[in-house]
Amino acid sequence: MTVEAPPLGAADVLTAARRTAGRIRHTPLLVAEGLPGILLKAEHLQHGGSFKTRGAANAMLDLAADHVVTGSSGNHGIAVARLGAELGVEVTVVVAGGAAAGKAATIGRLGARVIEVAGGVAHRDRYAREHAARTGAAFVPSSDHRSVVAGAGTVGLEVFDAVPDLDVIFVPTGGGGLLAGVCLAAEGLRGAPRIVGVEPATARRYARSLAAGCPVELPPSRTVADGLRGQRPGEIPLPIIQRRVDELIEVTDDEILAAMELLRRDGVEAEPSGSVALAGALRTRFTGRAVAIVSGGNTPRRCRADVR
């Protein structure tokens, strides 16, 4: 008899924060001179260069497996490979055709085995799951996993603790793990902020699934935000997002690149996927106090830590 796991909640995010203490970095909120009213949650300063370290660390520490397999377009694979090297865990990362060559090379340099497969992200993830089953390894997907979602939610914990008067938080949305985690972290907050997920216009798997009332798998898509080009919403993130997210909006590649250029002018060397939340904030012309999550990139030079 299979026992169904209880629904994820804010307590799981708190557990993840305790479990990963010492393995993840508490990233700062940055003030960019050219972006009044918007604070930037600097996950590009996270270990491994992206928020993905949070979910990967929570899952790998929870599983305590000897061999981990994942499918990733880059940042999650880098996070898993980096943690595997630290923990002495064998890591295999399956990448889809068209994945960023530089990120695949970084995964290999970190000691992981890299397998490239033809087809889109959905095929990549199916192959990774099957490979894990064949080899007896633990499968740690980039977003559709309870511990990964809870770990990603620690981003929200940090934001809500630092900005109790927050009006809106903009969250880049690909696999949905980060958006679902932020939704969990907001549970029980008084005067909870609006949570806005931001998707590339060509990869709106969550918006279309919510509109249809069931999971919708998209064909492989093209977008400059290569980390957000998945095809099918996750079984775990989808119901969380469905019950809590306030809005899902789209941004074009031109808007993503314009936001990336604004970030870089202020010293934040964000990648396109890491610029999507800011692109969404700029499109909505929000009023009030906002945070945009910079989910991945390189090192800032001119931004200063926000002090209040």
Side-chain angles (χ1 to χ4, degrees), residues 88-264:
V89 175
E90 181 183 353
V91 171
T92 300
V93 181
V94 181
V95 301
K103 290 184 179 180
T106 298
I107 291 167
R109 286 196 297 271
L110 288 167
R113 179 189 179 198
V114 179
I115 300 175
E116 183 172 342
V117 296
V121 174
H123 177 70
R124 175 201 75 189
D125 289 345
R126 283 192 289 268
Y127 182 95
R129 188 183 296 274
E130 292 165 0
H131 184 74
R134 286 194 303 269
T135 60
F139 179 56
V140 179
S142 61
S143 56
D144 198 13
H145 188 283
R146 289 175 60 89
S147 294
V148 171
V149 170
T154 60
V155 177
L157 283 184
E158 293 177 12
V159 170
F160 301 143
D161 181 63
V163 194
D165 58 343
L166 185 65
D167 294 303
V168 57
I169 182 168
F170 293 92
V171 185
T173 305
L178 179 57
L179 180 57
V182 170
C183 287
L184 291 176
E187 288 184 354
L189 289 179
R190 290 186 177 181
R194 285 179 56 79
I195 299 175
V196 179
V198 188
E199 295 179 302
T202 57
R204 302 205 70 197
R205 53 182 145 170
Y206 279 96
R208 293 191 182 183
S209 295
L210 292 188
C214 62
V216 174
E217 183 169 323
L218 305 180
S221 62
R222 291 185 177 275
T223 172
V224 292
D226 65 316
L228 309 183
R229 62 188 178 97
Q231 295 171 249
R232 185 176 178 84
E235 293 180 10
I236 292 170
L238 181 59
I240 298 170
I241 292 168
Q242 189 172 32
R243 73 172 183 255
R244 176 59 184 88
V245 76
D246 292 290
E247 189 177 5
L248 283 163
I249 63 175
E250 67 177 51
V251 289
T252 66
D253 278 1
D254 285 345
E255 288 172 319
I256 294 168
L257 293 173
M260 184 173 71
E261 178 58 26
L262 285 174
L263 288 170
R264 292 189 172 188

